[in-house]
């Protein structure tokens, strides 16, 4: 039975490799946003009720695609709506 000695340098190299691998995994997951979201995902993301989501569909605020009985919403459309409805904070409130 052979005995291997692990040095501090070996551990530091392993740590560096492990951290770089973890960073790659985290960055890949962030870039991997779904293109289409179901109603439940949209409600959870925007923290709104089913009735509010239905009102958004009815008044044309939010576009959707219906396949069978399932409604899908484009993630890009949600980002655009959030950006268009952004209200800038007044700087005087934070002084």
């Amino acid at each position: 039975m052979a005995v291997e000695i692990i040095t501090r340098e070996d551990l530091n190299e392993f740590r560096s490799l492990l951290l770089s691998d973890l960073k790659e995994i985290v960055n890949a997951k962030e870039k991997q946003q779904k293109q289409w979201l179901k109603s439940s995902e949209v409600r959870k993301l925007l923290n709104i009720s089913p009735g509010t989501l239905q009102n958004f569909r009815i008044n044309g605020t939010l576009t959707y695609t219906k396949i069978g009985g399932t409604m899908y919403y484009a993630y890009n459309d949600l980002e655009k709506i959030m950006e268009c409805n952004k209200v800038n904070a007044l700087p005087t409130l934070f002084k």
Side-chain angles (χ1 to χ4, degrees):
M1 182 179 213
V3 176
E4 285 188 48
I5 298 176
I6 298 175
T7 65
R8 200 174 278 218
E9 292 167 355
D10 293 335
L11 290 174
N12 281 332
E13 182 181 345
F14 175 72
R15 181 179 70 86
S16 296
L17 291 171
L18 184 61
L19 284 174
S20 65
D21 289 347
L22 288 173
K23 285 178 185 178
E24 285 180 29
I25 291 170
V26 168
N27 289 336
K29 284 188 178 182
E30 287 176 358
K31 293 177 186 175
Q32 216 174 23
Q33 178 61 41
K34 289 171 64 172
Q35 183 179 357
W36 294 97
L37 303 173
K38 292 183 178 181
S39 295
S40 60
E41 295 168 317
V42 173
R43 289 193 324 263
K44 186 175 180 181
L45 183 67
L46 299 179
N47 194 25
I48 58 174
S49 69
T52 301
L53 184 56
Q54 182 178 5
N55 286 335
F56 286 166
R57 286 193 309 265
I58 291 169
N59 66 23
T61 301
L62 189 55
T63 59
Y64 63 96
T65 301
K66 185 173 182 180
I67 301 174
T70 306
M71 297 194 202
Y72 297 93
Y73 305 85
Y75 185 80
N76 292 339
D77 289 346
L78 292 170
E79 284 183 324
K80 287 177 192 173
I81 289 170
M82 295 296 285
E83 194 62 38
C84 290
N85 291 298
K86 187 190 302 186
V87 177
N88 291 326
L90 299 174
T92 57
L93 294 176
F94 300 109
K95 286 185 180 180

